[in-house]
Amino acid sequence: MPGSGRAQVSVFPSGPELGASLAALVWQEAGRGTGPGGRFSLALSGGSLVTLLSRELLRAPEPCRDWLWAYCDERRVPPEDPESTHGQYLAQLLSKISIPEKQVLSIDHTLPVEEAAADYSKKLKEAFPGQDIPVFDLLILGLGPDGHTASLFPDHPLLQETQKIVAAISDSPKPPPERITMTLPVLNAARTVVFVAIGEGKASIIKRILETEEENPLPAARVRPGHGKLLWFLDEAAAKELTGPVEQHSVL
């Protein structure tokens, strides 16, 4: 990966094999959680990841109750809206394993977008006392066909943000327009970051991110953990244009 020698690319035959290995990664990282009090902390992304991850984590839910859950970004919509990442995880996973509400850091959609971002930032700082930038044990990121990740979009001013750990966006090129997102300093502070991408529609942008040097890197290419691991989990369709070394996984 341009600018980083730490990226490891793993390719799986299909979504189910990828999902099982992603869950295994979560359990592995949870076993060495090093947050406050030894607590494991992870931040999730939405979209197809919700079903993929929820199905696998439900197989062994007990330890999940001790984890700290957060979101890499969120749309400013109520939980019952299908666009709500929190609402989708609540329906498919969190409500089924009785996670205490205080251990899930969610965004207050009732606040104006700037206030919602400030409120979420406050929650993160309270959950990670003494850390100017929260250090998550694991971040799971998706990838848009334009190279965006979380709610950080190409050529957007938020890519230059260095002071805030959470930012509001009211002009998202992808609806809905109002969103709250972790910034690059938080993404790059994590101990492990894994990108997950499935489908042929992501193949060309993945090749561009992983195998092309650019003067103005796409948002996903700017995720380069300063002291952590960077992983990419792809299915064969998403990886079809890559020419560099990858780790192939067989059917489970």
Side-chain angles (χ1 to χ4, degrees):
M1 175 149 193
S4 171
R6 295 182 297 276
Q8 176 183 320
V9 181
S10 297
V11 179
F12 302 87
S14 66
E17 286 82 18
L18 188 156
S21 291
L22 179 62
L25 173 69
V26 174
W27 294 116
Q28 174 183 302
E29 297 299 320
R32 51 180 180 236
T34 54
R39 172 204 63 195
F40 175 61
S41 58
L42 76 164
L44 304 167
S45 298
S48 60
L49 270 171
V50 180
T51 300
L52 189 74
L53 192 57
S54 297
R55 180 177 58 234
E56 295 297 333
L57 290 182
L58 280 173
R59 297 180 188 275
E62 290 295 329
C64 299
R65 294 176 182 167
D66 300 324
W67 300 353
L68 178 74
W69 305 72
Y71 300 104
C72 299
D73 70 321
E74 179 62 288
R75 304 154 177 94
R76 197 180 74 83
V77 296
E80 59 269 20
D81 190 303
E83 293 281 351
S84 169
T85 296
H86 175 57
Q88 290 298 308
Y89 276 109
L90 197 61
Q92 298 187 45
L93 176 63
L94 300 178
S95 64
K96 298 180 180 181
I97 51 178
S98 303
I99 297 290
E101 187 176 340
K102 66 180 181 180
Q103 287 172 219
V104 182
L105 305 184
S106 59
I107 286 138
D108 187 345
H109 73 278
T110 67
L111 297 172
V113 68
E114 292 286 350
E115 293 180 27
D119 177 70
Y120 192 52
S121 178
K122 179 182 177 183
K123 290 176 180 176
L124 288 179
K125 289 179 179 179
E126 290 174 348
F128 293 85
Q131 296 182 12
D132 292 333
I133 299 176
V135 178
F136 279 86
D137 292 306
L138 177 63
L139 295 182
I140 303 178
L141 292 171
L143 176 71
D146 61 351
H148 86 264
T149 192
S151 285
L152 300 171
F153 294 91
D155 301 316
H156 195 279
L158 281 186
L159 295 177
Q160 310 308 320
E161 180 60 61
T162 60
Q163 301 302 313
K164 295 178 180 179
I165 60 173
V166 174
I169 176 170
S170 56
D171 57 351
S172 167
K174 181 180 179 181
E178 291 191 338
R179 297 162 175 249
I180 294 90
T181 185
M182 292 181 179
T183 58
L184 283 171
V186 178
L187 303 188
N188 285 327
R191 294 185 173 90
T192 299
V193 177
V194 56
F195 278 97
V196 179
I198 293 175
E200 188 175 350
K202 305 287 179 67
S204 61
I205 200 70
I206 288 169
K207 179 175 178 61
R208 182 176 165 188
I209 290 167
L210 291 176
E211 298 185 346
T212 306
E213 293 279 1
E214 295 192 10
E215 185 175 334
N216 180 27
L218 292 165
R222 296 170 187 255
V223 178
R224 301 164 179 164
H227 302 285
K229 296 181 296 185
L230 178 60
L231 312 174
W232 285 74
F233 277 24
L234 312 172
D235 72 349
E236 290 181 350
K240 64 179 294 186
E241 295 188 23
L242 294 179
T243 57
V246 300
E247 182 179 336
Q248 291 281 354
H249 294 260
S250 59
V251 177
L252 298 177

